[in-house]
Amino acid sequence: MTLTDETSTIPAGGPTLEQVRRIVTELPGPRSAAILARKADAVASGVAHSMPVSVVAAGGGVVVDADGNSLIDLGSGIAVTSVGNAHPKVAAAVAAQAAQFTHTCFMVSPYESYVDVAEALNRLTPGGFAKKTALFNSGAEAVENAIKIARKHTGRQAVVAFDHGYHGRTNLTMALTAKAMPYKSGFGPFAPEIYRVPGSYPYRDGLTGAEAAKRAITLIEKQIGADSLAAVIIEPIQGEGGFIVPADGFLDAVVAWCRENGVVFIADEVQTGFARTGAMFASEIFGIEPDLITTAKGIAAGLPLAGVTGRAEIMDAAHAGGLGGTYGGNPIACAAALAAIDAFENDGLVERAQQIGTVLTERLRAIRENDPRLGDIRGHGAMIAVEFVDAETGAPDAALTGAVAKACVAEGVIILTCGTFGNVIRFLPPLSIGDDLLNEGIDVLAAALERA
Ligand SMILES: *Cc1c(COP(=O)(O)O)cnc(C)c1O
């Protein structure tokens, strides 16, 4: 096939892409299958994929593959393309910046867009105090740097993370991450001075927020000692762990304890940040002001960018030259972030996330009326999940979850699973999706559930 044939069949991405679910081949179709066969030969097996497609365009609420299949996107590339894939403002900003300069290294020759992003993060993140920001490339790198900063500020080494937590795949963040398979198994030894305590998982632990906080704090005091503890790190709503929303009172009690004991409280908002939960940051939902906040995923519509933002005096603890990296705050990524932040602030995306949450929750609750296998429906805004259980015993049902997800994939709906027990389907649609596609995606899920 000539290049012209191939390109002529490829639609342009972005919001003008036809907003339909259309399956014209089995998945994968022949073109995707050929590319996935090359992937199997050329790409390390550890880099797996859940959708058997090769993507050529995406936008609004759909992803189009090389065979012309148009899939409903309920995943946003794991909560990344929240403003919509190939958003026109982002595409224009990236193109303009790429034509201007692509890299200088901010540590060598600074530029304004990095400062603009830092100012925006300082302004948008919760906390009525002076803040500063440093930029990096990935969520894991932001988490690593937040820990570095907290250790330097406190002169202490221990860090507490929580059951069901996920913070990344680098060595330090693997140590912080709870789940062994697939994230940690065989990849040790892990970084020292990381301790894990139970958090708050109301559906499974039955504790109030105050009780769960007391349990965690007692363990910290007895087994680690506050004066050895640099930081506590937690996702306000746990992502990979199963969209676990802590009981009211849990997070504020932990924050209060950290303040009393000079411990840096780090909110990992890599997944929950940037309008995803129907608030600009999930910390706002729980009324907490973290000392440090890590961001990534939704920040730049898919370009690699991450940030650590927090109290100026903590952020300034690291000596000059102690923070940075070759690419951190790359100018093209910063241009994308500024365009995305413009969209978050001016295109009503916080409100849109709330509406999406209402649609998803109402539909899922209606399904649960006749189907007790939907054990728990939880989340906020456009970050909603269902935990599937055995209707009799309440035990996690990973087999059902996998079967339903697989059926949705075959019918052209991009669905992600998660959860420590592998029994959670999570919905992370782009905020640019229409209600019709959202409802059609849930229709497919409901039909798959009936068959399962
Ligand atoms: C995805 C994620 C990370 C890791 O981000 P990467 O960009 O994949 O390194 C860290 N924390 C949370 C809460 C995440 O969801």
Side-chain angles (χ1 to χ4, degrees), residues 10 19 121 432:
I10 296 177
Q19 296 296 298
L121 283 167
S432 52

Side-chain angles (χ1 to χ4, degrees), residues 133-146:
T133 287
L135 298 179
F136 304 97
N137 301 294
S138 72
E141 206 190 344
V143 169
E144 294 242 359
N145 278 279

Side-chain angles (χ1 to χ4, degrees), residues 124-126 236 269 278-290 350:
L124 289 170
T125 49
E269 293 238 26
M280 196 59 93
F281 291 94
S283 293
E284 297 164 35
I285 296 170
F286 303 99
I288 57 167
E289 295 189 343
V350 170

Side-chain angles (χ1 to χ4, degrees), residues 78 137-141 143 166-169 235 239-240 268-272 294 296-297:
I78 320 187
N137 301 294
S138 72
E141 206 190 344
V143 169
Y166 180 87
H167 300 287
R169 295 170 178 269
E235 306 154 79
E240 306 295 310
D268 183 350
E269 293 238 26
V270 166
Q271 190 156 159
T272 51
T294 53
K297 292 200 166 95

Side-chain angles (χ1 to χ4, degrees), residues 280-338:
M280 196 59 93
F281 291 94
S283 293
E284 297 164 35
I285 296 170
F286 303 99
I288 57 167
E289 295 189 343
D291 298 310
L292 300 180
I293 295 184
T294 53
T295 52
K297 292 200 166 95
I299 190 175
L303 277 91
L305 188 71
V308 182
T309 302
R311 290 181 188 274
E313 69 275 18
I314 300 178
M315 291 298 296
D316 279 341
H319 47 272
L323 304 177
T326 306
Y327 298 117
N330 167 273
I332 299 176
C334 285
L338 292 171

